[in-house]
Amino acid sequence: MASLPGLEPTETAATAEDTTSTDTRKRKLGLRRCTRRNKVTSHDSFLSYANGRWWKVAGVLCLVSLLAYIFAPLPAQHFGGTWLGYTLGTISAGLIVWLTLLGVRKRAMTPGTWSLKAWTSAHVYLGLSLIVVATLHTGFDLGWNVHTLAWALMMIVIVSGMFGIWFYWTLPQALSENRYDEDGAVTEKQMIEQLRSLDRQIHDAAQPLTAEDAAVVEKSLEQDPFDGSIWNRVTARYPNCATRRAAATLREARAFRPRVADDPLDRVDALLTRKEAMLARLRRHLRLKSLLQLWLYVHVPVTFALLAALSAHIVSVFFYW
Amino acid sequence: MTFLIRQIALKASGEEIVRPTTVDGDTITIGRDASCDIHLPDLAVDPRHARAVMKDGELFVESIADQPFGMNGRSVNRRAIDLSRGAELTFGGHRINVERGDGGVPVFTVRRVEAISDVSEEKDLGSVYTLKGLMPGKRMSAWGFAILVLIACLAWPIGAYMTHKGEKERGSGYHGDEIWSSGDLTLAHAGLKDDCQACHVDAFVAVRDNACTTCHEDDAHAHISGLAANDATARLVAARGEPGAFGQFQRAVAEGFNRPAGRCVECHIEHTGAGAMEDTPQKFCTDCHDGMSKRLPDTKLPDASDFGTGHPEFHPALVVQPGDKPVFQRMTLTKTAREDNGLKFTHAEHMSKTGGVAQMVRRRPGEYDGRDAMQCADCHTLDSTKVRFEPVKMEDSCQSCHALGLEMIDGTTRTLRHGEPELVAADLRAFYRSGNPPRPASLSGMARRSPGDGASQRTARDFARAVQFYPTRADGAVTRVFSKGGACYDCHVITRDGPAVTNGFDIVPAVQNNRYLAMGWFTHDAHTKYACTECHVDATRSNDASRVLIPGLGGEGGCRTCHVGGTGASLTEVKHPVESDCAMCHDYHADDGPPWMSKAPKTIAKADANRRKQVSMR
């Protein structure tokens, strides 16, 4: 990749393009980027890509459609069957097909004007503009038929996409906050390693326990932290958490026992408490990651249902012309 | 007796490390407790779980606290082991193989076979943090949904079409292709709801006129009467003229997509919802009628573009010749338009609050509700449809004042027969046939009378005068009743082509025009809020019965006083405008009924609300 003068050769052109405006000012002020954490990252959201170019394009598209809908002299109702209806419908259908192609496009990354970011930005804003364009195409004449089915599926896709934008906008921040502790960021692999280490310690510490207590602790060790339904994942609530139950059971048992120094239960309890905290973090992590993925489980399959309904809609119009 | 215990541990490289120990004695213990001979650091194992006893060359394994252990895959509490065959014992995550060693020594090979915790096992980082396995796969559900939609919305409807293709009439009940219906059919076509193919005959061929004319054999294109259907369509297309550039483009695109111009369905849009068919939009009328005289030079119709701004003056059908077979002629409604209906009537005089008629009304308060003048409704009553008026009948409306009494016989009035001049003449002739007036009874005889001769002389004098003046010639009376000053002449036009009995006089049968505007629709019922004279302004001013009193387009009392064009346009300012498109009064397929207007103009409701507000403020 070509490097621009005045920048470290490791920075890519794409990075340079996005950082220039803020960086030149900082350099004049004599500020230096030294540590990784303080570095002004090159991140420019797809929402504000190119000063919101696609926001503007989509806005103009909506406005023109709306004005045409209001002012164009049409012979009768604003059905899809008028010249304006056919025009809006053709635009909408073309947009839908093009928007779907993001799935193909994203598998081949290229930089520059037609970078994936540009595509994503256009995908988001043109997709949102469909709310206006395609709804005007319906002429607000909705019913229980294939035509309204296509419209409704499109709206489901758009709304799920809006959830996606919202999640991508807010969740990464929450994700990294959740991963940081006093020792820095924890990777997903480290999360598992931490749990393994704790399990080993619990296992060792629990050796002196009675059969009943050991069985309770064993339950905690045997439980897969990644187990649980989609509902558990999304809510981060695990009512059947064996670790919590083990901690509670042991604490209850200990409450009725005379205090002795060096009670193995004390050690196990402390370790279980740590494991609980660690599980809580893991589960928050899982919850955020699920939300980041979950909307796509609606967005993508319904898109294909929409393509099918759209084909049926178009074929039916020409079939019973 | 000795036991050999071999503890096997795994190195990171997978290599096995064997640590053999020997235990002397008849019994060894197995458990989590460090003091056990076979120490299993496993939380699933009891501190002292089981013991193995060697007795008479036989090996017994039994649990100490009734906690079972596994042996050869079965959960047991005690078992004897045939050392020659060996056995596999399972305690928690550990496996112990028992076999006979050198010199018959039982050998216990201990292995940890399960990880100490679930998370310690291998985890696939690539999938464990994803929703894999928790949700149906995206690819699978995408295909599933898409195929489901294609089957329900494409295959099923096309199947329904193929099944019933060519059938004359499709059975009722839901068919797959109804899912394609873009909206309910209008009331007129609601019966075709289950039969898409009634109109959509061929796939990918736009609805053609012959689909419409299958049912509408006679009534289609009654608008252009006297032409065959094809010629009527051709004339329609001609009347619309050549479209502009955009229109030509539209037409080219439409024809490119196999939608020819001039089809019924271009104007008659269906699938617009389960109501009456939408009234024809004004544009479909003005497409042709606005400036049509230029495009169709032979047309007799004047141009019309909008009621408010471009509408020809009304052409009412007026009576030009009264009689049994009256002659009507349509002509422009002007101030000088006259109608020869065979009647003489003074509207203004009858409506006046002064003069003889008003005096008569005041003298008969019982009959006229104490009013001081006559009102329209005294003579004119709406018919049962409330659209138009019943003809005025002489017997009901005129006779109470304009009596045709001939003589009084014992308190009963003998009346001349209205409407039958020959009978009137005959009655008069019969009346005069007796020759003399009846002789008063008091003139002679023994009847009681006042004293003296005065009274009888007066009676004799009156009688003598009556005899003197008694019209002995009935001809005179007949002539007089038909001549100026006579009862018939007052209201009717008299001709001299009658029979001998009427001395040659005859009465022209009066004609009351029942519907002036035959090509437009007007209903009095929609206008009952207004006084008659607000529109029929000349009714209180004109004493000329030939004067046409229906309101015109504009001017005082004219329709444009309230009605503006379909788009609200008007030539002068209108206080409470009623938006009136063509379909309010005109119907494409005109008949005697009202037009197909499905809804009242929205502006009427507004005007009503305003009026109510004004009334409540008073």
Side-chain angles (χ1 to χ4, degrees):
Chain A
M1 280 176 197
S3 60
L4 289 178
L7 285 168
E8 284 97 351
T10 48
E11 288 196 15
T12 63
T15 324
E17 178 192 86
D18 296 325
T19 49
T20 338
S21 56
T22 47
D23 279 1
T24 39
R25 231 175 62 228
K26 290 205 166 176
R27 209 167 288 138
K28 273 179 197 163
L29 290 169
L31 293 174
R32 270 190 65 82
R33 294 170 282 161
C34 37
T35 65
R36 208 195 71 81
R37 293 286 297 278
N38 292 343
K39 184 181 173 184
V40 178
T41 60
S42 63
H43 186 68
D44 175 19
S45 161
F46 59 84
L47 294 176
S48 51
Y49 171 81
N51 280 328
R53 173 189 301 158
W54 292 106
W55 187 95
K56 288 168 197 160
V57 170
V60 168
L61 180 62
C62 290
L63 197 69
V64 169
S65 307
L66 203 61
L67 290 178
Y69 186 83
I70 295 170
F71 293 111
L74 294 182
Q77 304 86 345
H78 284 72
F79 267 103
T82 61
W83 66 263
L84 181 63
Y86 286 127
T87 309
L88 293 176
T90 309
I91 293 175
S92 305
L95 273 178
I96 287 173
V97 172
W98 181 81
L99 292 167
T100 310
L101 289 179
L102 181 75
V104 180
R105 173 64 184 75
K106 74 171 185 184
R107 287 165 171 83
M109 289 195 208
T110 53
T113 311
W114 295 103
S115 67
L116 186 58
K117 190 187 281 179
W119 268 68
T120 313
S121 184
H123 180 91
V124 165
Y125 288 116
L126 293 179
L128 287 174
S129 75
L130 269 182
I131 297 177
V132 175
V133 180
T135 306
L136 291 181
H137 167 66
T138 68
F140 303 96
D141 182 55
L142 304 174
W144 298 103
N145 52 45
V146 63
H147 318 288
T148 302
L149 173 72
W151 178 84
L153 289 174
M154 185 202 72
M155 292 307 282
I156 292 174
V157 172
I158 295 176
V159 169
S160 68
M162 286 158 83
F163 273 101
I165 297 169
W166 175 247
F167 290 153
Y168 273 36
W169 185 250
T170 55
L171 296 189
Q173 180 77 16
L175 257 181
S176 51
E177 272 167 18
N178 184 47
R179 274 155 60 143
Y180 273 93
D181 57 15
E182 61 274 17
D183 301 326
V186 184
T187 65
E188 289 181 344
K189 195 173 178 200
Q190 284 168 342
M191 282 188 199
I192 296 183
E193 287 303 333
Q194 283 178 332
L195 276 176
R196 281 177 183 158
S197 155
L198 261 179
D199 276 357
R200 279 195 296 273
Q201 295 175 50
I202 291 170
H203 185 257
D204 292 348
Q207 289 300 325
L209 297 192
T210 61
E212 298 82 52
D213 292 345
V216 173
V217 176
E218 174 74 358
K219 286 261 165 55
S220 160
L221 298 186
E222 275 175 3
Q223 195 173 45
D224 182 359
F226 295 99
D227 206 13
S229 64
I230 180 71
W231 180 250
N232 298 139
R233 280 266 173 121
V234 168
T235 56
R237 282 166 206 270
Y238 294 79
N240 295 323
C241 174
T243 306
R244 192 182 316 132
R245 184 163 304 153
T249 312
L250 293 192
R251 244 170 261 160
E252 193 186 359
R254 206 161 56 99
F256 296 99
R257 268 189 225 174
R259 296 269 151 183
V260 288
D262 226 8
D263 190 341
L265 275 179
D266 271 346
R267 241 175 82 68
V268 175
D269 183 24
L271 287 167
L272 283 175
T273 309
R274 270 178 63 197
K275 187 181 176 185
E276 247 192 290
M278 202 156 290
L279 278 177
R281 167 150 70 185
L282 175 77
R283 283 164 182 171
R284 276 198 301 274
H285 184 76
L286 284 175
R287 171 173 179 269
L288 297 173
K289 289 217 47 166
S290 313
L291 288 180
L292 278 177
Q293 296 159 18
L294 187 64
W295 68 275
L296 271 172
Y297 281 83
V298 179
H299 196 71
V300 172
V302 179
T303 296
F304 281 86
L306 162 63
L307 283 182
L310 185 67
S311 316
H313 161 66
I314 294 170
V315 168
S316 77
V317 165
F318 285 101
F319 201 96
Y320 280 170
W321 203 198
Chain B
M1 197 68 215
T2 317
F3 295 90
L4 177 61
I5 298 162
R6 302 168 74 218
Q7 293 264 13
I8 294 179
L10 278 179
K11 273 201 204 164
S13 59
E15 217 177 310
E16 288 190 343
I17 304 171
V18 184
R19 278 195 307 253
T21 44
T22 49
V23 178
D24 290 333
D26 288 339
T27 307
I28 54 168
T29 49
I30 304 167
R32 174 155 44 87
D33 202 293
S35 64
C36 289
D37 299 311
I38 298 178
H39 173 217
L40 304 175
D42 190 328
L43 293 181
V45 179
D46 275 5
R48 291 173 60 75
H49 199 123
R51 72 169 75 88
V53 183
M54 201 64 188
K55 201 173 172 187
D56 305 334
E58 260 194 305
L59 182 66
F60 282 98
V61 181
E62 56 181 358
S63 68
I64 294 168
D66 275 349
Q67 176 88 340
F69 57 92
M71 179 166 153
N72 293 336
R74 301 282 303 275
S75 182
V76 297
N77 272 336
R78 103 190 2 248
R79 266 297 186 282
I81 296 174
D82 181 355
L83 276 177
S84 55
R85 282 203 220 149
E88 185 184 86
L89 306 176
T90 320
F91 290 87
H94 285 81
R95 197 161 67 208
I96 303 175
N97 279 339
V98 186
E99 58 200 345
R100 190 199 297 271
D102 295 338
V105 177
V107 181
F108 289 75
T109 312
V110 182
R111 251 192 204 91
R112 170 144 219 144
V113 289
E114 278 174 23
I116 56 159
S117 74
D118 181 272
V119 77
S120 304
E121 288 164 20
E122 194 69 30
K123 294 282 176 197
D124 178 12
L125 273 175
S127 66
V128 84
Y129 284 100
T130 66
L131 293 177
K132 213 171 189 174
L134 293 178
M135 294 282 289
K138 279 183 283 215
R139 195 175 294 250
M140 205 190 69
S141 42
W143 279 108
F145 282 148
I147 289 170
L148 206 65
V149 169
L150 284 177
I151 289 174
C153 303
L154 207 55
W156 188 31
I158 292 177
Y161 168 82
M162 300 302 274
T163 312
H164 297 284
K165 186 168 166 51
E167 280 176 28
K168 196 158 179 240
E169 207 169 305
R170 210 161 82 172
S172 59
Y174 195 87
H175 297 269
D177 48 358
E178 285 172 53
I179 202 174
W180 284 353
S181 168
S182 60
D184 286 335
L185 292 170
T186 54
L187 287 178
H189 293 145
L192 299 173
K193 158 174 98 63
D194 293 324
D195 193 357
C196 304
Q197 283 156 285
C199 304
H200 303 277
V201 180
D202 292 312
F204 300 107
V205 174
V207 176
R208 294 292 150 93
D209 288 355
N210 49 18
C212 307
T213 50
T214 308
C215 301
H216 297 273
E217 284 168 38
D218 305 321
D219 57 343
H221 286 245
H223 184 65
I224 304 175
S225 50
L227 286 176
N230 286 341
D231 296 338
T233 306
R235 193 166 168 81
L236 255 185
V237 175
R240 279 201 306 206
E242 273 302 300
F246 186 61
Q248 275 175 347
F249 170 71
Q250 264 180 269
R251 195 173 276 186
V253 171
E255 273 166 15
F257 279 101
N258 200 12
R259 278 162 77 92
R263 291 169 304 133
C264 306
V265 291
E266 275 196 309
C267 303
H268 301 277
I269 302 163
E270 251 301 351
H271 294 286
T272 50
M277 204 176 223
E278 294 270 316
D279 50 310
T280 316
Q282 176 156 314
K283 190 173 181 314
F284 285 130
C285 305
T286 56
D287 269 353
C288 298
H289 285 275
D290 187 6
M292 187 168 73
S293 53
K294 285 196 199 76
R295 294 186 291 272
L296 293 180
D298 59 330
T299 186
K300 292 183 190 113
L301 298 175
D303 293 341
S305 56
D306 181 67
F307 186 76
T309 53
H311 190 283
E313 182 52 85
F314 296 144
H315 277 55
L318 300 181
V319 186
V320 290
Q321 190 185 313
D324 287 327
K325 290 177 181 166
V327 178
F328 290 86
Q329 191 181 326
R330 290 187 65 201
M331 57 181 86
T332 310
L333 182 64
T334 58
K335 282 276 173 204
T336 54
R338 289 291 181 272
E339 186 173 38
D340 187 3
N341 50 21
L343 277 173
K344 298 167 191 157
F345 184 73
T346 54
H347 264 113
E349 188 182 14
H350 279 80
M351 302 282 293
S352 172
K353 293 194 173 172
T354 55
V357 179
Q359 191 65 22
M360 196 89 163
V361 168
R362 279 195 284 269
R363 244 183 246 150
R364 298 155 81 169
E367 207 174 316
Y368 290 98
D369 305 330
R371 277 184 269 118
D372 55 0
M374 288 186 78
Q375 63 184 23
C376 307
D378 287 336
C379 307
H380 298 283
T381 51
L382 277 172
D383 64 13
S384 56
T385 63
K386 297 190 175 179
V387 173
R388 289 184 271 274
F389 280 86
E390 300 275 10
V392 176
K393 281 211 173 82
M394 191 275 182
E395 291 79 359
D396 303 333
S397 304
C398 312
Q399 196 163 261
S400 68
C401 299
H402 299 273
L404 294 180
L406 180 59
E407 62 175 336
M408 182 87 91
I409 299 175
D410 291 341
T412 299
T413 308
R414 188 172 163 218
T415 312
L416 292 174
R417 197 80 63 88
H418 179 253
E420 295 186 58
E422 289 87 351
L423 264 180
V424 170
D427 270 355
L428 284 173
R429 288 186 193 285
F431 180 73
Y432 291 118
R433 199 155 45 198
S434 52
N436 278 322
R439 184 183 169 89
S442 56
L443 200 59
S444 57
M446 298 305 293
R448 286 177 57 122
R449 58 177 184 268
S450 314
D453 288 334
S456 64
Q457 278 171 4
R458 263 199 306 281
T459 307
R461 205 159 51 233
D462 289 347
F463 180 62
R465 195 182 295 128
V467 168
Q468 168 118 17
F469 291 101
Y470 201 78
T472 49
R473 281 176 307 172
D475 276 350
V478 170
T479 301
R480 231 167 295 158
V481 82
F482 285 110
S483 305
K484 190 168 182 181
C488 303
Y489 186 89
D490 274 354
C491 305
H492 287 280
V493 173
I494 312 290
T495 59
R496 294 304 312 265
D497 56 357
V501 66
T502 58
N503 290 349
F505 290 104
D506 200 3
I507 290 180
V508 176
V511 180
Q512 298 187 40
N513 200 339
N514 172 40
R515 182 173 180 182
Y516 283 95
L517 302 173
M519 295 297 168
W521 177 257
F522 177 85
T523 170
H524 281 97
D525 197 24
H527 296 81
T528 49
K529 292 190 185 69
Y530 308 95
C532 310
T533 52
E534 282 185 65
C535 302
H536 302 281
V537 284
D538 279 339
T540 55
R541 295 176 195 160
S542 168
N543 279 325
D544 181 358
S546 69
R547 183 75 183 269
V548 181
L549 293 182
I550 63 162
L553 191 63
E556 198 184 356
C559 299
R560 281 178 175 168
T561 311
C562 301
H563 290 270
V564 297
T567 53
S570 63
L571 295 175
T572 54
E573 202 197 329
V574 176
K575 209 170 170 193
H576 296 300
V578 179
E579 282 176 13
S580 319
D581 57 11
C582 309
M584 186 186 267
C585 310
H586 295 290
D587 204 358
Y588 190 86
H589 308 294
D591 55 19
D592 285 339
W596 268 70
M597 257 252 313
S598 52
K599 53 185 185 289
K602 54 180 184 287
T603 40
I604 284 185
K606 215 166 97 189
D608 267 359
N610 284 342
R611 209 170 293 120
R612 238 173 273 131
K613 211 158 88 188
Q614 283 167 4
V615 169
S616 66
M617 278 162 65
R618 244 177 245 158

